[in-house]
């Protein structure tokens, strides 16, 4: 029998792939850092010192210029008040020192977002004081009991409010430099003030959600 010659199949040549940048350097080329920088705010409000310096440089003003200056000041105050109400950090420096800071803003929102008996304490105490001037001894005893009950309710509300402030504020700002006692007292003082007399004015309604507290209002 004739033997069939078997030809060995020659393997096809492999295509050479170009070396990548990783093969040359041994590691991936690092990305360049983001070169974008935070831009300063557009048209920031002037401080009181800057306003005085600007007036000195301007010199004496005419009647029209004085009227225009008053209108500008009124508009600037309105813009600052609106920025403070929205919680914009740019306008935080215009608050009183006791009201400055993101923690204080959050505490104010916590107080303003809940209904409390304490906000009527001033009216209740004043009414009890007026009624106690009557000559009825029995009425005075009832008013005394009512005053004690009102005070007890406010104490309980203050304890619950302090616990809520601790839970929300220190969870959102774990490294805050604010003292717990200072924040608690700040919240209690605001809670016993009538809502219409609170300063800075309230931003939150009673239906506000916890996630919305302390945020910038758009």
């Amino acid at each position: 029998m004739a033997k069939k010659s078997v030809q060995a199949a020659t393997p096809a040549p492999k295509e050479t792939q170009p070396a990548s940048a990783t093969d040359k350097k041994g590691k991936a080329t690092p990305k360049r850092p983001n070169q974008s920088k935070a831009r300063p705010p557009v048209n920031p409000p002037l401080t009181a010192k800057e306003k005085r310096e600007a007036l000195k440089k301007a010199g004496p003003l005419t009647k029209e210029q004085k009227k225009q200056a008053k209108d500008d000041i009124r508009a600037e105050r309105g813009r600052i008040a609106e920025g403070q109400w929205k919680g914009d950090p740019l306008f935080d420096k215009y608050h009183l020192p006791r009201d400055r800071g993101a923690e204080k803003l959050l505490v104010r929102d916590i107080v303003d977002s809940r209904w409390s008996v304490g906000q009527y304490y001033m009216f209740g105490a004043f009414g009890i004081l007026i009624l106690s001037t009557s000559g009825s001894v029995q009425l005075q005893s009832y008013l005394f009991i009512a005053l004690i009950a009102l005070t007890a309710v406010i104490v309980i509300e203050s304890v619950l409010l302090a616990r809520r402030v601790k839970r929300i504020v220190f969870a959102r700002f774990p490294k805050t430099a604010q003292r717990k006692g200072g924040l608690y007292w700040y919240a209690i003082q605001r809670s016993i003030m009538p809502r219409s007399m609170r300063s800075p004015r309230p931003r939150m309604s009673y239906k506000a959600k916890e996630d919305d507290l302390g945020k910038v209002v758009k």
Side-chain angles (χ1 to χ4, degrees):
M1 293 177 63
K3 295 183 179 180
K4 296 181 179 180
S5 60
V6 180
Q7 296 180 355
T10 58
K14 296 182 179 180
E15 296 181 357
T16 58
Q17 298 179 353
S20 61
T22 305
D23 298 333
K24 291 180 180 180
K25 299 180 181 180
K27 59 180 180 179
T29 304
K31 296 182 179 179
R32 294 183 179 180
N34 189 7
Q35 300 294 332
S36 61
K37 296 182 180 180
R39 296 182 179 180
V42 180
N43 191 18
L46 299 177
T47 60
K49 183 178 180 181
E50 292 173 346
K51 291 178 182 177
R52 289 194 299 267
E53 293 178 354
L55 290 175
K56 289 181 180 179
K57 294 180 180 179
L61 303 177
T62 61
K63 290 184 178 180
E64 291 77 9
Q65 290 176 339
K66 289 181 180 180
K67 183 179 179 181
Q68 183 63 35
K70 290 181 179 180
D71 294 339
D72 294 341
I73 291 174
R74 190 180 299 109
E76 183 71 8
R77 288 177 178 174
R79 192 165 73 97
I80 292 174
E82 183 180 1
Q84 289 176 332
W85 182 83
K86 289 182 177 180
D88 192 340
L90 178 63
F91 297 88
D92 186 61
K93 62 181 179 180
Y94 295 98
H95 284 299
L96 295 176
R98 65 181 179 88
D99 299 322
R100 294 174 186 168
E103 297 89 346
K104 296 293 183 66
L105 174 64
L106 180 56
V107 170
R108 292 197 298 270
D109 288 349
I110 292 173
V111 175
D112 298 334
S113 63
R114 59 189 293 273
W115 183 90
S116 64
V117 178
Q119 60 187 336
Y120 303 105
Y121 177 76
M122 185 180 297
F123 301 113
F126 184 74
I128 291 174
L129 179 62
I130 295 299
L131 294 175
S132 63
T133 57
S134 62
S136 176
V137 179
Q138 186 176 5
L139 178 60
Q140 290 179 356
S141 61
Y142 290 153
L143 293 175
F144 180 72
I145 295 174
L147 182 61
I148 293 178
L150 180 61
T151 304
V153 171
I154 293 175
V155 170
I156 295 173
E157 284 188 343
S158 300
V159 173
L160 297 177
L161 177 61
R163 293 178 61 181
R164 191 180 184 204
V165 168
K166 179 181 179 181
R167 177 177 61 84
I168 298 177
V169 175
F170 290 95
R172 193 173 298 183
F173 302 100
K175 297 182 180 180
T176 179
Q178 297 284 347
R179 296 185 304 171
K180 292 183 179 180
L183 293 178
Y184 298 161
W185 181 242
Y186 181 75
I188 293 171
Q189 281 185 319
R190 187 174 179 86
S191 66
I192 61 177
M193 288 291 295
R195 186 178 177 88
S196 59
M197 298 176 62
R198 292 174 182 174
S199 179
R201 62 192 178 103
R203 306 183 324 133
M204 297 290 144
S205 65
Y206 294 141
K207 297 181 181 180
K209 298 180 181 179
E210 186 173 316
D211 295 337
D212 298 332
L213 304 180
K215 301 293 182 63
V216 178
V217 177
K218 297 182 180 180

